[in-house]
């Protein structure tokens, strides 16, 4: 289960980045440094969250759902802080460019947690 789920999440993450980068660079002709910094931040946070979900699942699996909600709130707070550092407001349609990838990765995080919960129930 884990290998298939990990592969799906990894492929969707990279597809999200490639599609968004193509739109960013070729359709809007914007600077690629900001998008690369943004996705680097998202990748680090995403991997940290996945690691925490796996650890929480091994230590206290009955609280995994609550932990995912808390991690999403922490991720939201971190996004708010990084928004001010990268000056997103200077980019046209910045809400489109930064909120959609955030929600895609949050959906992937939730999908991973649901897969873990369902896998544990089957055991």
């Amino acid at each position: 289960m884990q290998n298939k789920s990990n592969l799906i999440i990894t492929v969707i993450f990279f597809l999200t980045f490639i599609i968004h980068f193509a739109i960013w660079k070729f359709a809007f002709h914007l600077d690629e440094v900001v998008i690369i910094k943004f996705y680097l931040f998202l990748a680090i946070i995403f991997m940290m969250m996945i690691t925490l979900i796996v650890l929480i699942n091994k230590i206290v699996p009955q609280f995994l759902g609550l932990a995912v909600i808390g991690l999403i709130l922490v991720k939201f707070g971190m996004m708010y802080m990084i928004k001010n550092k990268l000056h997103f407001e200077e980019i046209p349609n910045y809400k489109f460019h930064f909120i959609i990838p955030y929600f895609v990765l949050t959906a992937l995080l939730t999908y991973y947690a649901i897969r873990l919960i369902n896998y544990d129930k089957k055991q």
Side-chain angles (χ1 to χ4, degrees), residues 72-84:
I72 289 172
L73 287 173
V74 168
K75 183 178 172 186
F76 181 74
M78 294 175 97
M79 278 298 297
Y80 183 75
M81 290 187 318
I82 196 71
K83 178 182 82 110
N84 294 333

Side-chain angles (χ1 to χ4, degrees), residues 25-43:
K25 185 70 178 160
F26 301 116
F28 292 108
H29 305 291
L30 296 171
D31 184 28
E32 64 268 358
V33 173
V34 174
I35 193 85
I36 291 173
K37 285 181 183 178
F38 176 67
Y39 271 96
L40 185 61
F41 170 76
L42 279 181

Side-chain angles (χ1 to χ4, degrees), residues 1-14:
M1 186 288 299
Q2 294 301 330
N3 290 335
K4 182 181 177 184
S5 183
N6 291 344
L7 181 65
I8 290 171
I9 288 174
T10 304
V11 167
I12 291 175
F13 177 81
F14 282 113

Side-chain angles (χ1 to χ4, degrees), residues 35-100:
I35 193 85
I36 291 173
K37 285 181 183 178
F38 176 67
Y39 271 96
L40 185 61
F41 170 76
L42 279 181
I44 291 169
I45 294 301
F46 186 69
M47 288 292 133
M48 183 181 74
M49 299 280 176
I50 292 290
T51 304
L52 287 173
I53 285 176
V54 170
L55 287 174
I56 291 169
N57 188 46
K58 288 185 181 194
I59 297 170
V60 281
Q62 66 270 22
F63 295 116
L64 185 61
L66 184 63
V68 169
I69 293 170
L71 288 173
I72 289 172
L73 287 173
V74 168
K75 183 178 172 186
F76 181 74
M78 294 175 97
M79 278 298 297
Y80 183 75
M81 290 187 318
I82 196 71
K83 178 182 82 110
N84 294 333
K85 292 266 187 198
L86 289 178
H87 308 290
F88 287 167
E89 292 84 16
E90 297 171 2
I91 299 165
N93 299 322
Y94 76 95
K95 290 180 181 178
F96 167 75
H97 287 293
F98 299 112
I99 292 177
I100 291 177

